[in-house]
Amino acid sequence: MTNHDSTRPGRLRRAPENLLSAEQLAATPAQRRGFLRGAFAAASAALTAGAVRAQQADDPAIVNLPPHALALGQPVALEGYGHPSKFEANLQRRQSPGLTPTRQASVSFAPLQGLFGIVTPSGLHFERHHQGWWDIDPSQHRLMVNGSDEQMLKRPMVFTMDELMRLPSVSRFHFIECGANTGMEWGNVAVPTVQYTHGMLSCSEFTGVRLIDVLNMCGFDAKRARFVLAEGGDGSAMTRTIPIELVTSGQVLLAYGQNGEMLRPENGYPLRLVVPGVQGVSWVKWLRRIEVGDQPYATKDEDIHYVDLMPDGQHRQYTSIQEVKSVVTTPSGGQILLDKGFYNISGLAWSGRGKIAKVDVSVDGGQNWKPARLETPVLDRCLSRFNLPWTWDGKPALVMSRATDETGHVQPTYRQLREVRGRRSIYHNNSIQTWLVQESGEVKNVQLS
Ligand SMILES: Nc1nc2c(c(=O)[nH]1)N[C@H]1C(S)=C(S)[C@@H](COP(=O)(O)O)O[C@H]1N2
Ligand SMILES: [Mo]
């Protein structure tokens, strides 16, 4: 069995007697739930009420009272941190087959196929480390703020975490997407599931101090300052140039909170930069220094990495906004539809330029499009959830989503993207994703030429 198979939700085809086989019970529970909900809805819509009742009458789960209705359960744990149900154990971050984790470089992907709504549980947030992660003692952590010269910032300061956490704080929901997300798919279909095609994407409520407030405390020269440099405290010398407009507009945060608690160590505890709409690499983790300057710093992660190889052989630099993008997470690659009938097509849309304005969904490879329902809240530079009811006729279907953001940018097809960008890039692939639902119900990653 390959690594791919371990993320497969398993076979979800409905057995004639409406019972699950042992194999089906071993399927990814979240996925099973998704499809069973669909299957039951289809059953009640398509079958006569009598047929449904007849099927249910000999269902042991209905006929026999289960143990949890007959005996005492467990009391609260005396203390401790809660965990998901043991039946959800298959819902995990996973390493992509072919990418070997080392202490120099590693990445894990979020299981988008099993998540609801827009928030990524912190324990399932994707991870990307250029030199491994650390669990840094917050009492020993410092943030230094300085200027490229003395005029640029009058009062260089070093902050402890306690000092930062005394300052006025804000909480905001934002997505973070690695610039290399979907990067394996530039030339051709490369990975089987949405976890691997799009899973370097997560969304959290971040809490922290606005960087502009700290720069104002330090007396920065608002007339001369054009960029800030952010530097991480790990060994990767992760340093990124951030345009000052993102800072002065109040968007960039020195964040210590994630989903109501402190950041997780692997996500930068105790302090990370939040740069809404910008590729993940600029969200510097274990943040230890901010410098204010008047020109881009052209660091190694801006010169030789995170550049776009264009068809004429030139490299394009500083394309850091994550452009409008979306993906259907259900049905998606590796899943198996139980039977024809009703399904809820569901997915995520996001844009580094603002809010999502609309998402259109096609089930025929882009010939016809229908507007999906955008669920609330629809927030700025945040994941948006969309849903669309669909009745599958059992024939092959090509399922796609196409997002438009509030600035009017529309997600491109692979043909449109490749006309401008070629096929040899790594970063910034925001193409429309296609999933082929085969007659067998099996869903496959495909690209339309
Ligand atoms: N200090 C430091 N910051 C870092 C990195 C790193 O390796 N070291 N990786 C960057 C990259 S490439 C990405 S995509 C995001 C990933 O954030 P996450 O691990 O919290 O998902 O962190 C960014 N910040
Ligand atoms: Mo990244």
Side-chain angles (χ1 to χ4, degrees):
M1 195 193 254
T2 69
N3 226 351
H4 297 177
D5 295 311
S6 60
T7 63
R8 288 173 66 119
R11 289 171 200 285
L12 298 169
R13 225 172 278 113
R14 192 156 43 96
E17 68 281 24
N18 210 4
L19 290 177
L20 294 172
S21 67
E23 190 190 15
Q24 287 166 327
L25 282 168
T28 302
Q31 228 35 76
R32 203 169 58 227
R33 191 163 56 230
F35 283 118
L36 287 178
R37 208 189 298 119
F40 286 146
S44 39
L47 302 173
T48 68
V52 176
R53 250 183 256 119
Q55 281 189 345
Q56 288 177 347
D58 47 14
D59 179 351
I62 291 174
V63 173
N64 307 317
L65 272 180
H68 53 255
L70 295 169
L72 291 173
Q74 301 174 57
V76 293
L78 284 180
E79 55 185 35
Y81 198 100
H83 295 288
S85 161
K86 64 178 185 236
F87 299 107
E88 301 297 326
N90 275 340
L91 194 71
Q92 290 180 9
R93 310 190 256 229
R94 293 182 190 277
Q95 293 153 21
S96 182
L99 297 178
T100 318
T102 65
R103 297 183 71 179
Q104 283 75 28
S106 58
V107 53
S108 69
F109 295 77
L112 303 181
Q113 71 281 2
L115 302 182
F116 312 122
I118 58 173
V119 170
T120 312
S122 296
L124 295 174
H125 194 290
F126 84 97
E127 300 159 87
R128 175 75 180 93
H129 314 307
H130 291 241
Q131 197 79 98
W133 62 274
W134 295 90
D135 195 358
I136 292 174
D137 178 351
S139 73
Q140 298 303 309
H141 192 69
R142 301 289 182 270
L143 175 72
M144 179 167 122
V145 182
N146 66 280
S148 57
D149 62 44
E150 278 150 31
Q151 281 78 49
M152 195 67 80
L153 187 133
K154 288 200 195 72
R155 291 180 294 281
M157 287 174 80
V158 174
F159 293 85
T160 65
M161 284 306 298
D162 285 343
E163 285 164 349
L164 282 176
M165 293 175 75
R166 283 177 65 178
L167 299 177
S169 75
V170 295
S171 295
R172 292 177 189 157
F173 289 88
H174 289 297
F175 76 81
I176 167 173
E177 182 183 23
C178 176
N181 201 25
T182 324
M184 313 263 275
E185 303 278 307
W186 267 107
N188 45 264
V189 166
V191 289
T193 68
V194 72
Q195 181 156 14
Y196 298 131
T197 56
H198 289 77
M200 284 197 278
L201 170 75
S202 293
C203 183
S204 302
E205 185 196 42
F206 293 99
T207 296
V209 183
R210 301 187 323 162
L211 176 55
I212 184 64
D213 294 339
V214 168
L215 293 189
N216 281 330
M217 281 174 73
C218 299
F220 86 114
D221 182 343
K223 292 213 184 69
R224 279 182 60 213
R226 292 190 50 219
F227 299 96
V228 301
L229 179 78
E231 180 182 285
D234 53 334
S236 70
M238 177 55 70
T239 39
R240 293 288 309 184
T241 304
I242 319 286
I244 199 73
E245 297 74 38
L246 297 179
V247 180
T248 48
S249 62
Q251 295 171 50
V252 176
L253 306 183
L254 304 167
Y256 43 80
Q258 179 182 350
N259 296 331
E261 59 184 357
M262 289 296 287
L263 291 164
R264 294 290 170 90
E266 57 273 33
N267 302 121
Y269 179 88
L271 193 67
R272 92 173 303 168
L273 204 64
V274 165
V275 195
V278 170
Q279 60 182 338
V281 66
S282 293
W283 297 46
V284 174
K285 300 190 279 189
W286 314 291
L287 182 71
R288 73 169 169 202
R289 193 168 72 91
I290 294 285
E291 179 176 302
V292 182
D294 57 3
Q295 41 195 316
Y297 286 80
T299 67
K300 72 166 171 35
D301 286 293
E302 297 167 342
D303 274 351
I304 47 175
H305 304 299
Y306 302 93
V307 289
D308 299 324
L309 179 54
M310 303 299 281
D312 65 2
Q314 295 208 48
H315 275 111
R316 201 170 62 167
Q317 242 183 317
Y318 293 117
T319 47
S320 50
I321 301 282
Q322 293 298 110
E323 299 288 356
V324 64
K325 190 165 168 180
S326 70
V327 67
V328 171
T329 53
T330 302
S332 64
Q335 298 182 329
I336 301 179
L337 272 57
L338 295 166
D339 202 351
K340 55 188 173 202
F342 181 86
Y343 288 93
N344 179 46
I345 296 180
S346 188
L348 294 165
W350 62 101
S351 167
R353 295 187 185 273
K355 291 182 185 169
I356 288 297
K358 67 168 178 164
V359 178
D360 298 308
V361 169
S362 173
V363 292
D364 58 8
Q367 289 169 47
N368 297 285
W369 295 90
K370 260 193 204 162
R373 195 176 68 241
L374 278 185
E375 305 300 342
T376 53
V378 176
L379 301 171
D380 187 15
R381 289 156 240 245
C382 184
L383 295 189
S384 290
R385 170 66 62 176
F386 65 86
N387 287 302
L388 185 73
W390 176 46
T391 303
W392 182 44
D393 59 9
K395 301 205 183 84
L398 291 162
V399 179
M400 313 160 83
S401 65
R402 179 184 63 195
T404 306
D405 70 18
E406 62 176 348
T407 70
H409 281 77
V410 184
Q411 199 181 350
T413 61
Y414 265 107
R415 180 181 298 187
Q416 292 168 328
L417 189 66
R418 284 167 176 156
E419 267 171 25
V420 180
R421 300 276 311 277
R423 309 173 77 107
R424 293 185 296 158
S425 275
I426 300 172
Y427 304 104
H428 310 123
N429 175 356
N430 69 326
S431 176
I432 292 171
Q433 167 71 41
T434 308
W435 303 116
L436 167 64
V437 179
Q438 297 166 288
E439 259 170 289
S440 63
E442 292 179 52
V443 187
K444 244 178 91 175
N445 182 7
V446 294
Q447 289 183 6
L448 307 180
S449 54

